[in-house]
Amino acid sequence: MSAATALSARGADRGGRPRDAHASAASIGLWVFMGVAIALFSLFIVAYVVRMSGDDSMTIALPWQLWLSSALLVAGSVALQWAGGASRRPGPMRARRLLLAGGLCAVGFLGAQLWAWQALLSAQVMPAGNPAGSFFYLLTAMHGLHLAGGLVGWAWMANAAWPDPARAAWRIALCARYWHFMLAVWLVLFALLGWVTPEVARFICGTS
């Protein structure tokens, strides 16, 4: 039986997209969840811009560890995308290694984020006292919690996919989709924290 035939028989097409009702429901549920998360983060972004337009706002120097964490999240997203492709090819070892790499990169991302927190705290940037600092901890914590929740899903998916990645190709595709989403959200937050200074916020709010 060819790999394509095996996938078809197991409920996934060549693109790793689900065909059965359970997989389709999971895909729709993930889209809905991401929509809710977008709404939540959008509200935080609006609140950040409005608060940064205040007279007491000041910028903070972002720690270099954020660049490291960003690179790790990019690597994890790429690894899971490649894992989805590898799961549709003969031989499970490459898909397994890429699945493991995707999860480890996410763990590394969270570790680097905590390292960045430690660097800011050492520089006396506290969660209270400065709007930019307060939002930095709030936004990175919210994003980190969403990614930690994704790691729970990754562990469930990896457990199901490890014996036969081809059989769980649609699960890998869903996990990769969520990783791409988390990467996109983080890049927006990183740009927001780095580039939306009080001057830019006042310009956006029309109070400059």
Side-chain angles (χ1 to χ4, degrees):
M1 179 183 292
S2 67
T5 303
L7 283 173
S8 178
R10 290 163 180 164
D13 64 14
R14 293 178 64 84
R17 293 184 292 271
R19 285 182 175 176
D20 61 79
H22 176 72
S24 296
S27 178
I28 293 171
L30 180 59
W31 282 119
V32 171
F33 178 80
M34 291 193 298
V36 172
I38 288 173
L40 175 66
F41 280 103
S42 296
L43 291 174
F44 279 121
I45 290 171
V46 171
Y48 176 82
V49 173
V50 172
R51 187 63 186 88
M52 285 296 288
S53 66
D55 294 334
D56 60 338
S57 299
M58 63 181 72
T59 56
I60 60 173
L62 297 181
W64 66 267
Q65 288 88 348
L66 295 183
W67 292 100
L68 172 62
S69 63
S70 301
L72 286 168
L73 198 54
V74 170
S77 186
V78 171
L80 286 180
Q81 181 66 35
W82 286 353
S87 69
R88 296 187 291 274
R89 299 188 182 93
M93 289 308 298
R94 177 174 168 78
R96 289 172 180 166
R97 292 193 187 100
L98 289 169
L99 284 177
L100 186 60
L104 290 177
C105 284
V107 173
F109 170 85
L110 294 176
Q113 294 293 82
L114 291 176
W115 191 8
W117 276 30
Q118 185 180 39
L120 275 185
L121 291 172
S122 298
Q124 302 302 311
V125 178
M126 300 299 172
N130 178 2
S134 300
F135 270 95
F136 174 85
Y137 291 108
L138 174 63
L139 293 174
T140 53
M142 288 296 298
H143 181 267
L145 287 174
H146 277 76
L147 191 60
L151 274 173
V152 175
W154 169 86
W156 171 78
M157 177 275 297
N159 181 61
W162 201 262
D164 185 0
R167 189 179 181 85
W170 67 270
R171 289 187 172 94
I172 299 173
L174 291 183
C175 193
R177 184 196 301 171
Y178 188 68
W179 252 239
H180 301 336
F181 172 66
M182 283 286 91
L183 173 61
V185 171
W186 169 245
L187 292 178
V188 170
L189 295 180
F190 195 10
L192 179 80
L193 294 168
W195 294 331
V196 179
T197 62
E199 292 76 17
V200 173
R202 290 178 194 125
F203 176 79
I204 295 173
C205 295
T207 57
S208 58

